[in-house]
Amino acid sequence: MPTLLHIDSSLFPQEGSVSRAVAASFRTAWEEQHPEGTVVHRDLAADPLPHLDQTAAAAGFAAPDDRTPEQAAAYALRDRLARELEEADAVLIGAPMYNYTIPSTLKAWVDHVILQGRTAGTDKPSGAGTPTVVVASRGGGYGPGTPRESFEFVQNYLGKVLGEVMGLDVEFVVPELTLAPVTPGMESLVDQAEVSRARAHEAAETHAKNLAARLAAAA
């Protein structure tokens, strides 16, 4: 049965996090299609990864027999994360915008999982083609033509690193204006925020069902 790798990175619980709530809509629809499938869930807020340090970085370039014990231990984590990605039939990532970019915990995951010559840096990275849905929530509006368009470093970054560097087949679901209901001065945007959120939930469910059908057709 198919395996879904589900990564959450919001600091907040589901009732206070749009990225978690929309990702949950995807996962629920996915599990309805694959009731006996496997979900590997990494909650990077509840169980953060260590940031990449010199030992872990060097371990990625050293031959197995040349690694120090410390490098071997650091590489074991990177290998486990890479295997989770490689063994997944689909990937779901919750990526809220914090200070115009992704949470540092998600950046740590990216830094660990990129292994040159394996998940990146080859003509066909080991996860190439894996369908990946990123829920990129943000408190304001950063779409084309908006005043803050140039501040958008979530889709721009993840589209490049996941799609072009790692070869994943990336789709974005983007609920915007999530802070409108609780931020003075954004009252006029509350209706737009609600529409954006509803569309995001619908899009997440649709992506899950479409991926399920796609995988079933390929089986």
Side-chain angles (χ1 to χ4, degrees), residues 3-24:
T3 295
L4 173 68
L5 174 60
H6 176 190
I7 297 170
D8 276 318
S9 61
S10 172
L11 294 173
F12 304 101
Q14 185 169 318
E15 57 269 20
S17 167
V18 174
S19 69
R20 285 183 185 270
V22 173

Side-chain angles (χ1 to χ4, degrees), residues 63-84:
D65 292 343
D66 294 335
R67 291 180 189 132
T68 66
E70 293 78 14
Q71 288 176 338
Y75 187 82
L77 172 61
R78 300 189 68 186
D79 178 66
R80 183 162 72 250
L81 296 171
R83 286 181 182 275
E84 288 177 354

Side-chain angles (χ1 to χ4, degrees), residues 17-207:
S17 167
V18 174
S19 69
R20 285 183 185 270
V22 173
S25 289
F26 178 103
R27 178 167 167 177
T28 297
W30 173 273
E31 291 178 325
E32 287 172 354
Q33 301 297 314
H34 303 294
E36 297 185 17
T38 299
V39 176
V40 177
H41 185 210
R42 279 200 171 269
D43 187 334
L44 299 178
D47 188 17
L49 298 167
H51 287 286
L52 195 71
D53 61 12
Q54 180 180 356
T55 300
F61 294 98
D65 292 343
D66 294 335
R67 291 180 189 132
T68 66
E70 293 78 14
Q71 288 176 338
Y75 187 82
L77 172 61
R78 300 189 68 186
D79 178 66
R80 183 162 72 250
L81 296 171
R83 286 181 182 275
E84 288 177 354
L85 175 67
E86 292 163 343
E87 294 170 1
D89 295 287
V91 179
L92 170 65
I93 300 175
M97 178 185 281
Y98 291 163
N99 297 318
Y100 311 110
T101 189
I102 63 174
S104 64
T105 52
L106 182 55
K107 180 60 163 61
W109 178 83
V110 170
D111 287 341
H112 280 290
V113 83
I114 289 181
L115 291 168
Q116 293 296 322
R118 180 174 168 182
T119 60
T122 71
D123 291 336
K124 188 175 181 181
S126 55
T130 304
T132 300
V133 173
V134 178
V135 180
S137 61
R138 62 276 314 273
Y142 298 84
T146 61
R148 288 294 179 94
E149 177 183 359
S150 65
F151 284 73
E152 205 294 316
F153 299 107
V154 175
Q155 280 180 270
N156 286 338
Y157 171 69
L158 291 178
K160 292 293 185 182
V161 73
L162 299 179
E164 295 190 21
V165 175
M166 299 174 66
L168 305 179
D169 183 6
V170 183
E171 298 278 356
F172 286 94
V173 174
V174 186
E176 293 198 306
L177 306 172
T178 63
L179 290 177
V182 296
T183 303
M186 295 184 72
E187 293 87 355
S188 64
L189 300 173
V190 170
D191 288 346
Q192 286 180 249
E194 291 177 352
V195 169
S196 181
R197 183 180 302 199
R199 286 177 175 170
H201 281 283
E202 182 179 356
E205 293 172 4
T206 298
H207 279 304

